Amino acid sequence: MGTHAELEAIVDRYSGESTALLQILREAQEIEGWLPPATLTCLARLLEMPRARVEGVAGFYSFLHIERAGRYRVLFSDNITDRMAGNSELLDRFCNSLWLERGKTSEDGLALVDTTSCTGMCDQGPAMLVNGWAIPQLTPARVDEVAELIRSHTPVEDWPAALFQIEDNIHRSDMLLDASLEPGAAIRAAATSGPLATLEAIQCSNLRGRGGAGFATGLKWQSCRNATGDMHYVVCNADEGEPGTFKDRVLLTRYADLVFEGMTVCAFVIGARKGFLYLRGEYRHLLAPLQEVLARRRSDGLLGNDICGQPGFEFDIDIHLGAGAYICGEESALIESLEGRRGIPRNRPPYPVTHGYLQQPTTVNNVETFCAAALIALRGGEWYAGIGTGKSTGTKVLSVSGDCVRPGIYEYPFGVTVRQVLEDCGAQRTQAVQISGPSGTCIDATEFERRIAFEDLPTAGAFMVFDESRDIFEVASNFVHFFAHESCGFCTPCRVGTTLLRNVIDKLHKGKGSQHDLNQIFKLSRLLQSASHCGLGHTACNPLLDTIKRFRPAYERRLESLEFEPAFDLDGALERARAMTGRDDAGAHLRTDE
Amino acid sequence: MTAEGKTASFQLDGATVPFEPGQTVIQAALAAGHYIPHLCYHPEFKPHGSCRVCTVEVDGRTVASCTLQAQDGMEVLSQSDRLRKEHQTLVQMLFVEGNHFCPSCEQSGNCRLQAVAYDLDIMSAELDHLFPNRPVDASHPEILLEFNRCILCELCVRASAEVDGKNVFALSGRGITKHLIVNAESGRLADTDIAVTDKAMEVCPVGVILRKGVGFRVPIGERRFDRQPISAQAREDAPRRPTTGNEDST
Ligand SMILES: Cc1cc2nc3c(=O)[nH]c(=O)nc-3n(C[C@H](O)[C@H](O)[C@H](O)COP(=O)(O)O)c2cc1C
Ligand code: SF4
Ligand code: SF4
């Protein structure tokens, strides 16, 4: 374990605050690459909290290891786009070259290799994370290079910088990505017109949240401003966990000032003195650059006391790094995580605007929403309302990936057709597009005249393209696995239902399915939609329902019979015995398929 | 009371249910003797909303009735065909998620999962079993933890923290790997400060937290839910102030 002194230093850096538990665990893990039992005990003592709570939090997040995990933790991103780009073959090659078994820490404690949910590099996949650091554009040569660096025990800090080079790939920009805002301009504009007029501009712009749900931003800010509390908080949701989405990554890389500017304007309007940026763990590489931007803004008087010379306007921003949990993008789970807990969605009402961080009024918005808000503060609500469609004003930044020539970032005024986007990114013979990720909608070629807008195809930004060579069943199967892995486990329908769905899909995958299994999918889907506690469970069956409706042959091909087939695989049940005895000969198998 | 001074009430499957301000739908219903199936709800604790077995329908929306604030004039359905099927599937999910062999279980007859299942006419699991591998913890001289039957209701977690002030239990893991843990570096119950008189000992709705040496003291057939179905015992679950640990635990 880390020495007591090392752990004490980490805890002290966070002033022993229990809300920092996740940050503390993340840093404590860097000492040895995992969190041994004694480390958890020591941290619990230092933080004066029950050990079981510390272990409960450590056990929740994918990137925290409470079992020995090796000096190098290598996680291959496993979104469908990574799959299509050949991540499975690369993973096998990597495991073979290091003599490793996937999911098992090597005996010598050198490395652990496994997969992880989409890491937000779909425009430059396949990608991996090594000890939390992103490496995109994997090729056999790059994978071999990584294996060699590990074999030679080279510390990750000393690896060639070229491995970690990440591209922005902006292919179409509009008013948001074209805006070159002088830092402080939007805050000064807000300060000149005052909080109420700024709020009015946001309301009159009809800006709607860009994180998926499309809630009216002005209304949210107003409710939060009017809510009573000791402190008000601003939270920027940079968890960006939806597979296929990576626009927040680019906004935070290139437009960090605009994001912080929007958060500061929000603080001015709602009367907050403290803000948080919740950055997904997969974007660890952005932490230091973002902290530099914050430091610069502090020294320029854009954060801290008397911001822009406004007496009494005080605001600062902390960055919290997540640790691998899609559910922490859900705003109330995000707040739980910010408070140092397991990321479990809260019972609502009350909503974060009245009872958010530490039960105080809190405004949570997406990265892109804050960017748009900054522009509105500067240029006015009417200007903004003139762009886009009636119900969807402004522009949308799309993350385009999959089967196209130019994957990357595309910004359009709302109302653009799917066909237009497909043309611009150089997609050909397109079979289907997954709009807004697994929790969104899968559309087929008859629907490409549909429009990206809240009134037709709402989206948080993901736009994954599948051409005619793809098996749509594989797409759905990947998404079903994603939800089973990311269910927080709080409520029964989602915890058990996503796993049962995964098992059904795997059964179909093996060609063992029957009509009974399809019926089972419908039954479970209905229950998930109606009885789940949060949006994850409500949308977890979308990929199945959408694709069964539009691509039924992809499923029927896999049905062995139209009647019942048992899920229990007699021969498969002997697998463990075979592994234990090291046998795989004919005598160690039962033949059940003749 | 409403502004006009008459008692506020809502409709539950056609019956009028009065409620006090701050009560949730299930609390008011149980106090009035109307049963809505439930597992993670307990009359002495703040509603939790995780098992979803108490799901009802209000204005076409389905919600957990344990966390739904009662409102005057609300129309609540708990017994439609559709809801009944959903309740059944939720309970079946809890069965297949663990390993339940009722005939050899000490809790049989006192078990709420079993009682709710009988009450919903559940005859088989219907879903594929997950057959998890969950070793038992027999380390403690007086207490056995049979994790195979855990339904993750968190009642022991809540009781230990809120009533016993001990935090003996917590949850770890995520999704289907979520599981109960105890507050000890060794992971063994024997190394915690649990006592048989703790509140956490008496709240388990199923057969996970068992007192050693007292098994089958009350014969099968004469136990709580053998005598009367759970749906006939609604009032027993009307909200009440928390009592402290087991008094008659000898
Ligand atoms: C399972 C789940 C995951 C979510 N993930 C994100 C996310 O990664 N980023 C995000 O901005 N919003 C996410 N949301 C939506 C948030 O709950 C919330 O609505 C949003 O952050 C509000 O900001 P907005 O109004 O600016 O969109 C998610 C919601 C759910 C149910
Ligand atoms: S629906 Fe899924 S993710 Fe949401 S609370 Fe329930 S278990 Fe957790
Ligand atoms: S806990 Fe209840 S349902 Fe489970 S085996 Fe025991 S009696 Fe049966």
Side-chain angles (χ1 to χ4, degrees), chain A residues 199-223:
Chain A
L199 176 60
E200 211 172 290
I202 302 285
Q203 283 174 320
C204 127
S205 74
N206 285 327
L207 173 64
R208 296 173 66 170
R210 300 300 194 239
F215 193 82
T217 306
L219 184 58
K220 188 183 277 189
W221 289 20
Q222 185 185 35
S223 318

Side-chain angles (χ1 to χ4, degrees), chain B residues 95 99-102 105 107-109 111 113-114 149 206-208:
Chain B
F95 271 97
N99 296 309
H100 296 268
F101 304 102
C102 298
C105 177
Q107 198 68 356
S108 188
C111 169
L113 179 63
Q114 186 189 46
R149 302 167 184 155
V206 289
V208 177

Side-chain angles (χ1 to χ4, degrees), chain A residues 139-331:
Chain A
T139 56
R142 273 161 81 84
V143 159
D144 292 346
E145 184 182 355
V146 170
E148 188 47 47
L149 287 161
I150 291 178
R151 226 188 329 267
S152 61
H153 294 225
T154 312
V156 179
E157 306 85 88
D158 301 334
W159 291 16
L163 280 176
F164 303 97
Q165 180 68 36
I166 291 157
E167 303 300 330
D168 291 337
N169 293 328
I170 299 176
H171 296 303
R172 188 184 195 281
S173 56
D174 208 291
M175 66 66 166
L176 196 151
L177 299 179
D178 282 340
S180 51
L181 193 82
E182 187 200 326
I187 305 176
R188 276 190 289 274
T192 308
S193 38
L196 280 174
T198 308
L199 176 60
E200 211 172 290
I202 302 285
Q203 283 174 320
C204 127
S205 74
N206 285 327
L207 173 64
R208 296 173 66 170
R210 300 300 194 239
F215 193 82
T217 306
L219 184 58
K220 188 183 277 189
W221 289 20
Q222 185 185 35
S223 318
C224 191
R225 177 185 160 85
N226 293 341
T228 49
D230 302 335
M231 285 277 275
H232 284 55
Y233 295 96
V234 177
V235 175
C236 177
N237 188 342
D239 196 52
E240 192 160 66
E242 191 72 38
T245 316
F246 47 86
K247 48 109 189 161
D248 293 342
R249 182 196 87 216
V250 176
L251 291 174
L252 291 166
T253 308
R254 279 244 209 142
Y255 301 83
D257 271 299
L258 196 57
V259 180
F260 294 139
E261 193 96 1
M263 290 177 71
T264 313
V265 168
C266 176
F268 182 64
V269 169
I270 68 166
R273 276 181 294 162
K274 177 99 213 155
F276 296 101
L277 179 93
Y278 190 98
L279 182 67
R280 70 185 309 218
E282 289 81 347
Y283 296 166
R284 169 80 179 83
H285 65 280
L286 290 176
L287 182 61
L290 287 170
Q291 264 158 352
E292 273 168 38
V293 175
L294 287 177
R296 169 169 51 71
R297 291 180 71 88
R298 276 181 206 116
S299 66
D300 290 350
L302 301 176
L303 286 173
N305 297 325
D306 302 335
I307 293 172
C308 288
Q310 288 283 305
F313 180 21
E314 182 189 325
F315 181 63
D316 212 326
I317 298 172
D318 268 355
I319 304 178
H320 268 238
L321 203 55
Y326 166 64
I327 191 58
C328 290
E330 194 283 336
E331 57 184 13

Side-chain angles (χ1 to χ4, degrees), chain A residues 37-39 41-42 45 50-53 55-62 66 117 323-327 342 344 347 349 484-497 499-500 502-504 507 516-517 520 523-524 526-534 564 567-568 576, chain B residues 40 46-53 55-56 61-64 66-69 82-83 85-87 89-94 96-97 125-131 133-134 150-154 166-179 181-187:
Chain A
T39 295
T41 307
C42 180
R45 233 175 256 142
R51 185 190 185 283
R53 180 174 154 206
E55 184 180 343
V57 171
F60 184 84
Y61 296 92
S62 293
I66 51 178
S117 300
Y326 166 64
I327 191 58
R342 295 161 58 78
I344 308 288
N347 283 316
H485 185 254
E486 297 296 341
S487 164
C488 85
F490 173 74
C491 69
T492 311
C494 173
R495 182 181 68 243
V496 186
T499 290
L500 291 172
R502 186 195 65 197
N503 292 353
V504 173
K507 186 178 169 193
H516 170 80
D517 295 296
Q520 205 69 328
K523 171 173 156 177
L524 292 169
R526 273 194 302 273
L527 185 68
L528 273 162
Q529 280 173 334
S530 106
S532 294
H533 174 62
C534 86
F564 176 78
F568 189 74
R576 238 172 88 199
Chain B
C40 73
K46 189 165 162 258
H48 193 236
S50 64
C51 78
R52 313 309 275 189
V53 172
T55 295
V56 295
R61 283 191 325 125
T62 40
V63 270
C66 67
T67 51
L68 175 67
Q69 287 298 321
R82 176 182 145 212
L83 284 168
K85 286 209 180 80
E86 292 196 359
H87 295 159
T89 309
L90 287 164
V91 170
Q92 287 166 325
M93 282 178 160
L94 291 168
V96 301
E97 181 187 23
E126 282 182 45
L127 307 165
D128 294 329
H129 282 270
L130 299 180
F131 298 121
N133 180 11
R134 301 182 186 162
C150 182
I151 58 169
L152 304 161
C153 65
E154 280 183 65
K166 286 187 181 177
N167 299 292
V168 169
F169 297 102
L171 293 177
S172 188
R174 182 175 83 201
I176 200 68
T177 71
K178 183 170 89 162
H179 59 279
I181 57 169
V182 301
N183 194 27
E185 187 175 309
S186 64

Side-chain angles (χ1 to χ4, degrees), chain A residues 349-585:
Chain A
Y351 293 93
V353 282
T354 59
H355 294 76
Y357 183 66
L358 304 178
Q359 297 301 318
Q360 299 300 313
T362 304
T363 295
V364 184
N365 276 126
N366 174 257
V367 174
E368 189 183 345
T369 312
F370 281 120
C371 292
L375 294 181
I376 293 164
L378 185 67
R379 298 187 192 148
E382 274 154 41
W383 160 76
Y384 195 84
I387 307 164
T389 72
K391 285 193 179 134
S392 317
T393 59
T395 61
K396 184 75 196 97
V397 182
L398 299 178
S399 317
V400 177
S401 64
D403 294 314
C404 62
V405 183
R406 290 174 296 280
I409 297 292
Y410 293 76
E411 184 191 11
Y412 293 96
F414 270 112
V416 66
T417 59
V418 170
R419 183 173 311 286
Q420 182 68 52
V421 182
L422 289 171
E423 256 168 45
D424 292 349
C425 70
Q428 280 175 355
R429 295 182 300 106
T430 304
Q431 178 182 194
V433 182
Q434 184 76 30
I435 308 278
S436 204
S439 71
T441 319
C442 182
I443 60 168
D444 66 28
T446 63
E447 300 169 273
F448 291 168
E449 295 307 324
R450 293 181 66 181
R451 293 173 187 279
I452 303 289
F454 291 105
E455 52 269 49
D456 187 2
L457 286 170
T459 179
F463 190 103
M464 288 185 272
V465 185
F466 305 106
D467 72 18
E468 285 163 3
S469 71
R470 305 294 175 187
D471 181 350
I472 296 296
F473 178 89
E474 297 285 351
V475 177
S477 162
N478 181 266
F479 295 163
V480 167
H481 277 253
F482 166 76
F483 285 119
H485 185 254
E486 297 296 341
S487 164
C488 85
F490 173 74
C491 69
T492 311
C494 173
R495 182 181 68 243
V496 186
T498 52
T499 290
L500 291 172
L501 281 174
R502 186 195 65 197
N503 292 353
V504 173
I505 276 290
D506 287 352
K507 186 178 169 193
L508 292 176
H509 198 259
K510 286 189 220 139
K512 297 264 177 216
S514 65
Q515 184 61 44
H516 170 80
D517 295 296
L518 288 188
N519 296 345
Q520 205 69 328
I521 289 176
F522 292 126
K523 171 173 156 177
L524 292 169
S525 299
R526 273 194 302 273
L527 185 68
L528 273 162
Q529 280 173 334
S530 106
S532 294
H533 174 62
C534 86
L536 190 152
H538 294 144
T539 55
C541 43
N542 287 2
L544 283 168
L545 297 181
D546 281 356
T547 55
I548 293 178
K549 189 163 140 209
R550 293 176 172 84
F551 302 96
R552 201 171 175 107
Y555 287 81
E556 284 178 345
R557 248 204 323 276
R558 292 190 150 79
L559 302 188
E560 178 157 280
S561 77
L562 290 173
E563 295 306 318
F564 176 78
E565 276 294 321
F568 189 74
D569 172 1
L570 210 50
D571 183 57
L574 291 176
E575 188 49 47
R576 238 172 88 199
R578 280 193 292 267
M580 272 156 59
T581 52
R583 280 182 59 181
D584 200 20
D585 54 296

